[in-house]
Amino acid sequence: MARNQEKAQTMLARWLRFKEEQVKGPKKRRPYLAELCDNLHEAEKWRGSIIKDISRNVAEIQNASLGEHRIRDINDRINKLFREKRHWERRIKELGGKDYRYSNRGYGGYGHGAYLYFGAAKDLPGVRQLLNESEQIQISNKQKYENKDRVTGKDKKSRAQMYQLINADYYGFGDDDDNDLIWREKAKEQKLRRAKIQQWEQENPDKIKQRDDRKRKLRTTDDRRPQSEHGDDDDGEEDGEEYGLKRKRMRLTKVSGYVPSQQEIDDAILQKRKELLLKKYVGNDGDTEEAKSLAKSLQIQQMQERLRQNDATQQDNKDDEQDTETPANETKQ
């Protein structure tokens, strides 16, 4: 069977191409420069044709049996097509089309820079060493920029060094040492309080009037001077001034009902606790196990207390007898 290239050169195939050109016109070729195209639709079409050529060449260069020269030619053609594709994308953007700078798909190229190696080209002599060197340079540059601060340009601090800088000042515990913030807060608080008072006074004028009336009545009662018992005018004036000052300082409070003392309150609390204990342990006429154990423990405590009292009384009697015997012996001697 003949190959495709030989089939394309047959008389029938050439006659069909001739008739197609007569009907559709001569086949257009891609312009050499992207600036020569002024139609956005045609620019999109030529970009698509370039992408097809790139895909076909990338698939072809995967075959390592093509030979070194053939692989190098295909790799050069692929890089040339990539440069041409970038020109057409820039032209499409100028004509008002889509921006393809951030939507490019990868074709598996290796290398650093504008020239890339595809498929079997990365295994050519000298290429592997070049790729390793470029990769090492790229890693060193990345580490260099990672260890540097982008703003200050100084070396970045490690996590341990940053933890050493964390202290009480980092959390703001020393901000109030100079009391500056406290005074600012007090001033702001007073300002807000005055604003609230003014707002309340504007909203409640009746209550303001009642308050003023109460103040006026208190002032009239304070101005009354009490008469002294001996009728001395000077003493009466002094007592009146002291009485007025005391009335101004004191806050009038009225106490209604009986106020128990602290001892009475303690006795009432104790009695209440006893009632709660009796209700808890002797709730069913003393028939519960808890009530019986409580009664038994109370009896044991009472017996121990009586024994201690008896021992104490016997010891006191012995001490008294010894004290009486010692002076009698001294007199006999």
Side-chain angles (χ1 to χ4, degrees):
M1 183 180 289
R3 293 178 296 177
N4 292 332
Q5 293 180 356
E6 294 177 355
K7 287 181 180 179
Q9 297 300 326
T10 59
M11 184 64 70
L12 180 61
R14 285 186 289 176
W15 185 79
L16 290 173
R17 284 199 303 271
F18 175 73
K19 296 297 288 184
E20 186 178 359
E21 289 177 0
Q22 283 184 350
V23 175
K24 297 182 179 180
K27 187 176 180 180
K28 289 185 179 181
R29 300 187 62 180
R30 188 168 62 234
Y32 180 72
L33 296 175
E35 286 76 7
L36 299 176
C37 181
D38 296 330
N39 190 355
L40 179 61
H41 180 69
E42 291 184 358
E44 294 277 0
K45 184 183 73 173
W46 297 130
R47 178 182 175 275
S49 67
I50 291 171
I51 290 173
K52 290 180 182 178
D53 293 342
I54 290 172
S55 300
R56 185 176 63 254
N57 285 279
V58 168
E60 185 179 358
I61 204 173
Q62 304 299 325
N63 188 4
S65 63
L66 294 174
E68 180 181 351
H69 298 289
R70 176 68 176 164
I71 291 172
R72 288 186 185 275
D73 292 340
I74 296 173
N75 197 74
D76 293 339
R77 192 184 307 148
I78 292 171
N79 282 277
K80 183 180 178 182
L81 289 171
F82 269 109
R83 288 196 299 270
E84 191 173 354
K85 185 172 75 72
R86 285 193 293 269
H87 293 317
W88 282 105
E89 288 173 353
R90 187 172 61 251
R91 183 59 180 169
I92 289 170
K93 185 180 178 183
E94 291 175 357
L95 294 174
K98 184 180 177 181
D99 188 4
Y100 290 97
R101 287 183 300 172
Y102 304 106
S103 61
N104 292 331
R105 56 177 285 239
Y107 291 90
Y110 298 90
H112 180 67
Y115 195 86
L116 301 176
Y117 295 92
F118 298 88
K122 66 180 183 295
D123 296 326
L124 294 173
V127 176
R128 177 63 63 184
Q129 184 180 0
L130 180 64
L131 292 175
N132 292 333
E133 290 178 358
S134 63
E135 186 177 358
Q136 290 177 1
I137 292 170
Q138 188 176 2
I139 291 171
S140 63
N141 291 333
K142 186 177 180 181
Q143 292 177 354
K144 180 180 178 181
Y145 287 110
E146 283 181 353
N147 295 329
K148 293 285 185 180
D149 192 352
R150 290 181 295 178
V151 179
T152 61
K154 298 179 181 179
D155 293 337
K156 288 185 178 179
K157 295 180 180 179
S158 63
R159 187 180 294 272
Q161 291 175 349
M162 288 190 289
Y163 279 143
Q164 289 177 358
L165 298 175
I166 296 175
N167 50 17
D169 295 334
Y170 175 81
Y171 293 102
F173 292 134
D175 294 342
D176 298 338
D177 291 344
D178 55 353
N179 295 329
D180 186 21
L181 185 62
I182 295 173
W183 292 112
R184 290 183 182 180
E185 289 178 352
K186 285 185 177 181
K188 187 67 176 178
E189 184 180 356
Q190 291 176 0
K191 184 178 179 180
L192 293 174
R193 184 176 294 175
R194 286 195 296 269
K196 286 288 185 182
I197 291 171
Q198 291 177 1
Q199 183 180 359
W200 184 83
E201 289 178 351
Q202 292 175 2
E203 293 176 356
N204 302 288
D206 298 336
K207 294 183 179 180
I208 297 297
K209 187 176 180 181
Q210 294 176 3
R211 185 189 64 182
D212 294 339
D213 294 340
R214 287 197 301 270
K215 286 183 178 180
R216 195 179 300 109
K217 290 179 181 179
L218 290 173
R219 195 179 299 114
T220 54
T221 54
D222 291 337
D223 291 340
R224 295 174 183 174
R225 295 178 299 174
Q227 294 181 359
S228 61
E229 296 178 356
H230 302 286
D232 193 354
D233 295 336
D234 295 335
D235 296 337
E237 292 177 358
E238 293 178 358
D239 294 338
E241 291 177 358
E242 292 178 0
Y243 178 73
L245 291 172
K246 288 180 180 179
R247 285 296 302 273
K248 288 180 180 179
R249 291 173 185 173
M250 286 193 306
R251 183 177 180 181
L252 297 176
T253 55
K254 292 182 178 180
V255 180
S256 60
Y258 173 71
V259 179
S261 63
Q262 187 65 33
Q263 184 64 30
E264 293 175 351
I265 293 171
D266 295 338
D267 295 339
I269 293 171
L270 184 60
Q271 185 65 26
K272 188 67 175 178
R273 288 179 179 175
K274 289 180 179 180
E275 291 177 359
L276 291 173
L277 287 172
L278 289 172
K279 188 182 292 185
K280 180 178 180 181
Y281 293 107
V282 198
N284 299 323
D285 298 331
D287 295 335
T288 60
E289 294 293 333
E290 295 177 349
K292 292 178 181 179
S293 62
L294 180 62
K296 189 174 181 180
S297 62
L298 290 173
Q299 290 177 1
I300 293 169
Q301 289 179 1
Q302 290 176 0
M303 291 174 64
Q304 290 176 354
E305 187 66 27
R306 289 173 184 173
L307 290 172
R308 281 197 294 269
Q309 290 178 359
N310 293 330
D311 294 338
T313 53
Q314 290 177 2
Q315 186 67 28
D316 293 337
N317 294 331
K318 288 180 180 180
D319 293 337
D320 293 337
E321 291 177 358
Q322 290 177 1
D323 292 338
T324 54
E325 288 177 356
T326 51
N329 295 329
E330 290 178 356
T331 54
K332 289 179 181 180
Q333 292 176 359

